[in-house]
Amino acid sequence: MITDAVNPLSTSDHKRDAYGFSVRPQHVQRYREHVKIYQEEEEERSDRWNSFLEDHGSSEEKYLPPGPDLTPGDEKKVLRSQIWTEVRPSLRAIEGLMSARVKKKDHSSNGERGAQRSNPVQDDSSDSTCVSSSMPAADAKSQVSAFPWKEELQVLVRGGAPMALRGELWQAFAGVKKRRVENYYQSLLAADGLGKDIELQDEKSSSADPLAAVEKWKGQIEKDLPRTFPGHPALDDDGRNALRRLLTAYARHNPSVGYCQAMNFFAGLLLLMMPEENAFWSLIGVIDDYFNDYYSEEMIESQVDQRVLEELVRERFPKMVQHLDYLGVQVACVTAPWFLSIFINMLPWESVLRVWDVLLFEGNRVMLFRTALALMEFYGPTLITTKDAGDAITLLQSMTGSTFDSSQLVFTACMGYQDVNECRLQELRSKHRPAVMAAFEERLKGLQAWRDSKDLLASKLYNSKQDPKSVLLNFSKASLSRSESGSSSNADDVLICLTGDGEIDYFQDLQGQVLRLKGELCNLVEEKRSALLRAEELEVALMEMVKQDNRRHLNAKIEQLEQGVREVRKLVSDKKDQEAAMIQVLIGMEQEHKVTEDARRAAEQDAAAQRHAAQVLQDKYEEAVAGLAEMEERAVMAESMLEATLQYHKAQPSPRYVLSYTYKY
């Protein structure tokens, strides 16, 4: 399973996505832009599904998978050993709903294979009123009453299945449990060792040996095994062996289809999502049921669907179709690979898985048409600007490969084209199927006429070897009938041929022609055989050359990248040194600036103190000047008073003279 080898949504290497699939180099940048969006969407849908299963699922098990913690290696061993497992109890209600549309058939007692539908699957997504005549209305009402959450489930599926549940949900949608027959898968795989015929084919192939039929597909299966998701972490040697067993078992189960290209991708995808036997029964549901007669040799249904899609495209995008007709491009040239591969390797893997979610849930091919119409809507305006057929096809293929917005794609497909439902498609298929069948019958008639001519030539050569005289006689009779009313010369020629000499000469000429034809035929057979051998040798040599060229190219690329990495590292180192020097300079300048700032602040403080001291001195000076002026005034007054006093004393007698005069008298 895919979760064994890949940690969901946590891969740091964007060369592979969260599912382990490789991302094309031209789309790596687009994928990086959507990684965070995918993570947010995954968290949201996990919460929604968790809530849904808690409300409607079994109480025995919740959404989160229980069990002890295992190391990655132990977990891988445990899951690899499980060939068959049932879905968790919380999904069994969904499994019961989806299994109701599957009618189980006995694999061992008749020629009917797989499990057939009890009724044509209705297009639940389009709210169509088209109800199959084989399903009574009471049954439909009982289903609605028994599963009232069916519409809520439909909304959840359109929003996408969580990675942890996707494999089990696909099993439930396909009705794997109801399809399964005990030990049937093991019996198909044991046929190689037992050498027993397993009568599982249709009436058309009931006389053929399925083991012999499988042998012709084994070579193609072996070629396609390494081409299936190369480099995927989960498809190691054990994974490739499981894929080989799965494809071989299906070829034995359905010899009328056997194996065809693209089937390896279906099987590989299912094998990455679920255990081996579960993948086998899911593959039966997809190919034998949803895509019945799609991969047969005639491919009738595939051709019918392409005509139906072309009519829908002409109806909805007339300008684009007119431009494609002008360029000489048929719609089927682009859309046929989409349908046959179910968009695998055509869309980014997130979009592919979202389309498969809806397709398996609905149980029909409606989602194929809706997705194709949505892509035409997205890229039709750009397609009209192309100038030739090659540009148109290449541009559409490249643009579909970059459709990373899976939510927009599914929303546009499901909501924008609700009128494209199963009823409408069945009507259009009934309209176009007679033309496809008539063209197929014409091809069959031409092929049969060619085979009859070959058989007639071979029988004539054989008869000429066994009884040359009878051939000569028949030729003579035919010549006589043709020259019945002709000239006498023609009659003479015929009579000469019937005579001895003429007969011997003609017989010798006929024998010589037969020998020459035999020699030429042998030469042609040998040339064909040698050409086939040469082609195989050239193919092997080409593969080796491609591998060697790829290795040399990759080595050169690696050397260039390593040189570039070294240069980048050197530049980064130089930049770091420069940054370190700049940082040191900046630190020094910052320290100097800090010292200068401190000095400036100290100087400002000193200046302020000096201004204050000067102001104080000025005040004291002014006070001193005022005091000095006052003292001068007082001194002047004192001098004036002293002078007045002196004058007064001069005018008065001396006290000593007065006293002596008194004593005297």
Side-chain angles (χ1 to χ4, degrees):
M1 296 169 63
I2 192 171
T3 53
D4 304 343
V6 181
N7 186 14
L9 298 170
S10 63
T11 54
S12 60
D13 183 9
H14 294 308
K15 293 181 180 179
R16 292 192 174 273
D17 60 13
Y19 303 92
F21 298 109
S22 60
V23 180
R24 295 175 182 174
Q26 64 269 30
H27 298 151
V28 170
Q29 184 61 34
R30 288 290 305 279
Y31 175 72
R32 289 175 179 171
E33 296 171 0
H34 286 79
V35 167
K36 191 173 182 180
I37 299 175
Y38 291 160
Q39 293 175 350
E40 295 174 355
E41 290 181 347
E42 179 68 19
E43 293 174 0
E44 292 176 1
R45 71 170 65 103
S46 298
D47 293 339
R48 289 197 299 267
W49 277 91
N50 191 9
S51 176
F52 174 80
L53 294 178
E54 287 178 353
D55 295 339
H56 305 292
S58 173
S59 60
E60 299 176 10
E61 183 181 352
K62 296 300 182 183
Y63 167 73
L64 296 176
D69 295 334
L70 298 174
T71 62
D74 295 337
E75 182 183 3
K76 189 173 181 180
K77 291 178 183 177
V78 171
L79 292 170
R80 279 282 171 84
S81 64
Q82 295 176 346
I83 302 299
W84 161 264
T85 57
E86 295 187 1
V87 299
R88 63 189 69 192
S90 58
L91 299 178
R92 287 177 185 168
I94 300 175
E95 186 178 43
L97 169 65
M98 296 301 166
S99 297
R101 62 190 182 189
V102 178
K103 185 176 180 181
K104 190 172 182 178
K105 292 293 181 179
D106 186 7
H107 289 270
S108 58
S109 61
N110 53 43
E112 295 176 344
R113 65 179 183 275
Q116 296 180 355
R117 309 296 287 275
S118 59
N119 62 291
V121 179
Q122 305 307 316
D123 184 14
D124 298 329
S125 63
S126 61
D127 299 329
S128 173
T129 58
C130 177
V131 180
S132 171
S133 60
S134 62
M135 173 180 273
D139 293 344
K141 291 181 180 179
S142 64
Q143 275 197 3
V144 173
S145 61
F147 306 102
W149 37 263
K150 186 176 180 181
E151 292 184 0
E152 184 180 355
L153 176 63
Q154 173 185 319
V155 174
L156 285 176
V157 172
R158 287 179 177 177
M163 288 183 65
L165 283 179
R166 179 168 273 128
E168 294 180 74
L169 284 172
W170 285 10
Q171 298 174 54
F173 296 161
V176 167
K177 184 177 180 181
K178 190 169 184 180
R179 295 179 188 275
R180 185 181 184 234
V181 175
E182 193 75 24
N183 296 325
Y184 177 67
Y185 180 66
Q186 288 76 8
S187 67
L188 291 175
L189 296 178
D192 277 332
L194 298 176
K196 296 180 180 179
D197 295 343
I198 303 173
E199 299 177 355
L200 303 169
Q201 55 272 36
D202 302 350
E203 295 178 359
K204 296 180 181 179
S205 58
S206 59
S207 61
D209 183 1
L211 296 180
V214 170
E215 292 300 326
K216 66 180 181 181
W217 296 310
K218 277 190 175 181
Q220 189 60 44
I221 290 175
E222 291 298 329
K223 288 182 180 180
D224 289 343
L225 284 178
R227 303 173 186 170
T228 308
F229 310 139
H232 194 285
L235 287 179
D236 51 10
D237 292 339
D238 294 336
R240 302 287 175 190
N241 291 333
L243 181 58
R244 180 186 294 107
R245 292 193 296 269
L246 180 57
L247 294 173
T248 304
Y250 182 81
R252 289 182 177 137
H253 160 77
N254 188 359
S256 63
V257 174
Y259 172 78
C260 64
Q261 288 183 335
M263 198 180 292
N264 56 316
F265 293 109
F266 304 159
L269 178 59
L270 294 172
L271 198 59
L272 293 173
M273 294 292 177
M274 60 192 72
E276 186 174 333
E277 187 175 352
N278 300 62
F280 171 73
W281 294 107
S282 299
L283 185 65
I284 288 178
V286 171
I287 298 179
D288 293 359
D289 197 350
Y290 304 162
F291 289 82
N292 187 27
D293 290 338
Y294 227 72
Y295 301 99
S296 61
E297 293 184 3
E298 298 83 8
M299 301 182 72
I300 298 296
E301 290 301 315
S302 176
Q303 298 179 52
V304 172
D305 277 0
Q306 289 306 310
R307 295 201 178 201
V308 171
L309 178 63
E310 184 174 357
E311 180 171 340
L312 293 174
V313 172
R314 288 183 180 277
E315 175 185 322
R316 294 172 182 272
F317 310 105
K319 291 184 179 179
M320 183 189 70
V321 175
Q322 184 178 3
H323 180 71
L324 292 178
D325 291 340
Y326 172 76
L327 297 178
V329 178
Q330 294 183 349
V331 176
C333 293
V334 179
T335 58
W338 294 355
F339 278 39
L340 291 174
S341 64
I342 318 181
F343 293 103
I344 290 179
N345 294 329
M346 302 295 169
L347 294 172
W349 276 104
E350 181 70 23
S351 301
V352 171
L353 296 175
R354 292 285 299 276
V355 170
W356 274 63
D357 289 341
V358 180
L359 186 142
L360 292 174
F361 172 75
E362 295 179 353
N364 51 36
R365 301 193 293 272
V366 174
M367 190 59 185
L368 288 182
F369 291 88
R370 291 179 171 178
T371 305
L373 292 172
L375 291 172
M376 291 294 183
E377 178 181 338
F378 290 165
Y379 305 121
T382 307
L383 202 62
I384 295 177
T385 62
T386 55
K387 302 299 182 182
D388 56 61
D391 289 344
I393 296 175
T394 304
L395 181 63
L396 189 57
Q397 289 175 347
S398 63
M399 288 191 299
T400 53
S402 61
T403 311
F404 285 95
D405 195 346
S406 57
S407 297
Q408 183 185 10
L409 176 63
V410 174
F411 180 81
T412 304
C414 294
M415 303 305 296
Y417 299 96
Q418 296 188 38
D419 56 335
V420 180
N421 50 51
E422 185 67 13
C423 287
R424 176 80 189 284
L425 295 179
Q426 290 295 351
E427 292 176 0
L428 294 176
R429 285 168 182 153
S430 301
K431 172 184 175 182
H432 291 283
R433 187 174 285 108
V436 175
M437 294 299 297
F440 175 69
E441 290 175 358
E442 287 294 329
R443 289 196 299 270
L444 280 183
K445 289 179 181 179
L447 181 61
Q448 189 63 36
W450 179 72
R451 288 176 178 174
D452 291 343
S453 64
K454 285 182 63 179
D455 294 340
L456 181 60
L457 178 59
S459 63
K460 286 183 178 180
L461 291 174
Y462 179 77
N463 291 333
S464 66
K465 182 178 180 181
Q466 298 295 328
D467 189 6
K469 291 186 177 181
S470 62
V471 176
L472 179 62
L473 184 58
N474 291 334
F475 176 79
S476 301
K477 290 180 179 179
S479 300
L480 284 172
S481 63
R482 286 195 299 270
S483 59
E484 188 176 13
S485 58
S487 61
S488 59
S489 61
N490 292 334
D492 293 338
D493 293 337
V494 173
L495 290 175
I496 291 172
C497 289
L498 292 175
T499 59
D501 296 336
E503 182 176 353
I504 293 173
D505 294 338
Y506 186 80
F507 174 69
Q508 290 176 351
D509 293 339
L510 189 60
Q511 273 191 332
Q513 292 179 6
V514 169
L515 291 175
R516 284 195 302 273
L517 288 174
K518 283 184 177 180
E520 292 178 1
L521 185 60
C522 292
N523 292 333
L524 289 174
V525 171
E526 289 297 329
E527 289 177 0
K528 181 181 179 181
R529 187 177 302 167
S530 61
L532 291 174
L533 294 175
R534 181 60 178 167
E536 292 180 358
E537 292 175 357
L538 290 174
E539 185 177 1
V540 173
L542 181 61
M543 292 292 291
E544 292 296 329
M545 290 175 63
V546 168
K547 288 180 181 178
Q548 292 177 1
D549 290 340
N550 290 338
R551 288 169 186 165
R552 286 196 294 269
H553 183 66
L554 290 175
N555 289 333
K557 285 270 188 181
I558 290 171
E559 290 178 358
Q560 292 177 359
L561 291 174
E562 289 178 349
Q563 181 65 25
V565 168
R566 286 193 293 269
E567 293 177 356
V568 170
R569 286 178 178 174
K570 186 177 179 181
L571 290 174
V572 169
S573 178
D574 295 340
K575 287 288 186 182
K576 286 182 178 179
D577 294 339
Q578 293 177 2
E579 288 178 359
M582 290 292 293
I583 289 172
Q584 294 296 328
V585 172
L586 290 175
I587 291 173
M589 292 179 65
E590 186 176 358
Q591 291 177 350
E592 292 177 358
H593 178 71
K594 187 175 181 181
V595 171
T596 305
E597 186 69 19
D598 294 340
R600 184 185 64 80
R601 290 177 181 174
E604 288 179 354
Q605 292 176 357
D606 293 342
Q610 290 178 3
R611 283 195 298 272
H612 180 69
Q615 185 67 34
V616 171
L617 291 174
Q618 182 70 23
D619 293 340
K620 288 182 179 182
Y621 173 75
E622 291 177 354
E623 290 178 358
V625 169
L628 184 60
E630 185 177 355
M631 289 178 66
E632 287 180 353
E633 289 178 357
R634 287 181 179 180
V636 171
M637 290 178 64
E639 288 178 355
S640 298
M641 290 179 65
L642 180 59
E643 186 177 352
T645 301
L646 292 174
Q647 289 178 0
Y648 175 75
H649 283 294
K650 286 179 179 182
Q652 292 293 334
S654 173
R656 289 180 180 179
Y657 175 76
V658 173
L659 183 58
S660 63
Y661 181 77
T662 300
Y663 286 135
K664 191 182 277 190
Y665 289 99

